[in-house]
Amino acid sequence: MKHKHYFWMLALLLLVFTAACSGGGDDQASGGNDDGGSDGEGSATGKVELFSWWTAGGEAEGLEAIIEQFKEEHPDIEVENAAVAGGAGSNAKAVLANRMQGGEPPSTFQVHGGDELLAGWVAADKMEPINDLYEENNWQDVFPQDLIDMVSKDGNQYAVPVNIHRGNVMFYNTSVFEENGLKAPTSWEEFLEVAETLQSKDITPLALGDKNVWPSTMIFESILLANLGAEDYDKLWNGEIGFDDERVVQSAETFKEVLAYVNEDHSARAWQDASQLVADGKAAINIMGDWANGYYQSKELKAEEDYGWAVTPGSEGTFMVITDTFGLPKGVENPDQVKEFLATLGSKEAQDTFNPIKGSIPARTDADSSKYGPYSTDTIKDFSEAALAPSLAHGSAAPEQVVTKVNQAVNVFVSQQEVDAFIQSLQDATSSLSE
Ligand code: BGC
C-alpha cells in the first residue's frame, strides 16, 4: 500500500512540474496524462482508436477489411488500429485493464460477450449502455436472443457482437488422415485410438501451442462439454455442480491421456504456430477455435481439400460459443464517432465482409450465406440447432479472476499431470462461484 502513496506523490509532483512548464496550464484540464488518447487536439480529430488483439493470419486481414469499409463510409473519421498481439487477448487484456484503470480508455475495445463484459467492465461501471444504437439499427430483431443476452444487463445493451466463433472444433490435415485411413474421431476413446495410430507412424497426433495456456484450457473444456453436456457444463460455471463431480474427474483423466499425444515443444508455441504444424502435415489434428479456419485461409489452404473439421469428440449437438463484441467505454472524447463505428460493426455489410475472412460466422441472422465457405456454412447451420455453452477459456462462462485461476491450474496440470491435485485446484479456483 505504501507504493500507492509514492505513486500519488509522484503524480502530484509531475502535475505541478508540467503546469509550471506550460506556463500555468493553458488548455482545459485533461485529468491525467494523455498518451494514446487524443493527440492533443481534443475531440476535433474525430479519431476512433480500435483496440483488439487481432494480429494473426485471418484475424488481422479481417480487421483491416472492416476498417477499410468504415473509412469508405466515413472518410472524415480517422481509425487507429491499436491491436496488441497475443492470442485470446493474453497481452491485450492487461494493457486494457491498465488503461481503463488510468482513465484512458480506447474509443472501443474487443471484449467477449458474457462474464468478461458483464461481470467485468459493466459491473465496474466502465461502460455506457448503447440501447439507442440497438433501437436505431433494429438490432433486437437481427441478433439471436442468446447473443443479446451475452451483452445485456438489467435491460441495457452494452456492446455489439461482430461474430460468433465456435470453440469445440478440431481441424485436421486431410492428406495425413487419408494416407493413414483415418476418420475424424467422434468420441474421446476413438480420439485416443486415432492418436495411437498416428504416433506409431511417427506423426504428431495433436498440435498444441499453449505458450499462453488457454489452448490447453480449451481442450479441457471441450472434454468437460462432452462428458457433462451443455446444461451441466453450464452448471459447473454457475457453481451448481462442483468440480469434484465424477464426470469432471473422468475428464481430467482423459485430458491427461490426450496430453501424451501433443508435440514436445507445445509450451514454446502460440496457437497459430500449432495450427501451422497441421498445415505443414507435421501434426494431424488441431483443437482450436475456428479462428484457425481464418488462419488456414490466410495461408491459402482450402477447406475440405487441405483441411477437414469436426466437432471435438463427444460434443455433437453442442456449440461452445465465443463472441467478440465492441462497446462504448465511459469517458471517451468523441462518443458520436465511436457510435458510428459501432453501427458499422453491427451492419450486415461489415459482418459479411469481416467474418468470411476471420473464419467466424456472422452474429446477424440475416447474413448473405453465399459469402461463406463450406466450413462456415456448416457452422451457421449448427449454431441454429445446437445447445449453446459459453467458453470458459475465452471469458464468457465465468469472471476473469476465475478464468485466470483455472488457467493456472491447467498450466500446472499440463506439466505435472496429477489428477487429484488438479481437481483440488479447480475447486479452489471456482470456490467464489457458489458464494
Ligand atoms: C477471440 C478471437 C481470436 C482468438 C485468437 C479469441 O479469444 O475471440 O477473435 O481470433 O482469441 O486470438
Side-chain angles (χ1 to χ4, degrees):
M1 286 308 101
K2 265 190 197 150
H3 292 102
K4 261 199 177 152
H5 292 158
Y6 287 130
F7 173 80
W8 287 117
M9 273 173 64
L10 262 170
L12 205 74
L13 275 171
L14 206 72
L15 245 164
V16 172
F17 180 72
T18 331
C21 293
S22 65
D26 37 7
D27 352 275
Q28 4 118 268
S30 64
N33 48 37
D34 62 2
D35 75 82
S38 80
D39 46 15
E41 292 170 61
S43 58
T45 59
K47 187 165 82 180
V48 171
E49 189 199 7
L50 172 56
F51 188 92
S52 77
W53 57 86
W54 288 331
T55 57
E59 47 184 40
E61 291 88 343
L63 176 59
E64 272 312 316
I66 231 170
I67 293 176
E68 278 314 306
Q69 181 179 326
F70 181 74
K71 280 186 185 159
E72 269 167 36
E73 289 167 7
H74 298 278
D76 50 322
I77 307 179
E78 196 190 327
V79 181
E80 184 188 334
N81 178 357
V84 174
S90 34
N91 302 320
K93 285 186 193 173
V95 174
L96 177 69
N98 268 336
R99 291 189 53 176
M100 295 291 273
Q101 270 147 24
E104 293 287 334
S107 313
T108 186
F109 60 88
Q110 177 185 2
V111 57
H112 293 121
D115 276 349
E116 191 174 308
L117 170 69
L118 301 175
W121 301 120
V122 173
D125 200 21
K126 298 281 187 193
M127 304 300 288
E128 296 285 359
I130 52 167
N131 303 11
D132 50 346
L133 278 176
Y134 270 74
E135 272 156 36
E136 283 157 28
N137 297 288
N138 231 2
W139 284 344
Q140 293 283 5
D141 295 334
V142 294
F143 292 123
Q145 190 58 45
D146 289 303
L147 239 50
I148 296 183
D149 291 346
M150 290 174 84
V151 295
S152 305
K153 197 172 176 200
D154 302 331
N156 291 320
Q157 290 82 50
Y158 288 95
V160 55
V162 283
N163 64 4
I164 299 165
H165 271 303
R166 187 175 206 172
N168 59 322
V169 51
M170 59 185 179
F171 296 92
Y172 55 89
N173 182 305
T174 43
S175 315
V176 172
F177 263 50
E178 268 162 34
E179 281 156 23
N180 292 287
L182 298 170
K183 280 200 326 243
T186 58
S187 66
W188 286 101
E189 290 75 33
E190 267 179 45
F191 178 94
L192 294 170
E193 282 165 25
V194 165
E196 193 52 41
T197 306
L198 288 159
Q199 184 111 304
S200 69
K201 301 197 172 169
D202 278 340
I203 303 163
T204 301
L206 181 62
L208 178 63
D210 66 350
K211 185 164 101 175
N212 293 312
V213 190
W214 61 269
S216 280
T217 308
M218 283 191 85
I219 299 177
F220 182 55
E221 71 181 4
S222 288
I223 302 176
L224 287 175
L225 182 61
N227 287 345
L228 282 98
E231 210 174 299
D232 281 5
Y233 163 90
D234 236 12
K235 289 187 181 164
L236 277 178
W237 308 117
N238 293 337
E240 288 171 56
I241 293 181
F243 278 80
D244 52 354
D245 187 283
E246 201 186 301
R247 293 163 296 173
V248 178
V249 178
Q250 193 194 325
S251 301
E253 297 285 1
T254 303
F255 185 27
K256 181 174 170 175
E257 288 180 271
V258 169
L259 286 169
Y261 295 103
V262 304
N263 43 298
E264 270 176 21
D265 63 352
H266 61 92
S267 61
R269 286 180 182 264
W271 71 267
Q272 60 272 43
D273 309 323
S275 300
Q276 189 61 40
L277 285 177
V278 173
D280 294 340
K282 291 185 181 151
I285 305 172
N286 187 201
I287 293 179
M288 186 40 60
D290 49 16
W291 41 90
N293 177 44
Y295 177 80
Y296 290 135
Q297 290 177 166
S298 79
K299 301 289 165 195
E300 315 275 301
L301 266 67
K302 296 234 161 353
E304 283 171 337
E305 282 172 42
D306 301 315
Y307 63 98
W309 61 88
V311 293
T312 45
S315 71
E316 191 70 50
T318 64
F319 195 114
M320 185 82 81
V321 198
I322 297 153
T323 177
D324 293 306
T325 77
F326 289 82
L328 177 64
K330 285 196 168 163
V332 301
E333 287 182 355
N334 49 348
D336 291 341
Q337 277 100 341
V338 180
K339 282 186 175 179
E340 292 290 348
F341 189 76
L342 298 181
T344 295
L345 288 181
S347 70
K348 182 164 146 61
E349 296 68 27
Q351 300 221 341
D352 282 342
T353 302
F354 173 72
N355 288 301
I357 307 174
K358 178 76 170 68
S360 37
I361 63 170
R364 291 179 69 114
T365 48
D366 60 351
D368 177 355
S369 52
S370 70
K371 299 241 164 81
Y372 295 85
Y375 169 77
S376 302
T377 306
D378 269 11
T379 308
I380 291 173
K381 182 165 176 286
D382 281 4
F383 180 79
S384 66
E385 296 166 355
L388 307 184
S391 164
L392 182 273
H394 297 276
S396 299
E400 196 66 17
Q401 317 82 275
V402 175
V403 179
T404 306
K405 288 185 196 159
V406 171
N407 276 333
Q408 283 162 355
V410 168
N411 198 21
V412 172
F413 183 68
V414 170
S415 62
Q416 301 184 353
Q417 309 206 0
E418 284 167 14
V419 172
D420 290 348
F422 184 40
I423 296 298
Q424 184 59 55
S425 50
L426 286 172
Q427 284 179 287
D428 296 345
T430 54
S431 59
S432 61
L433 297 173
S434 47
E435 276 161 16

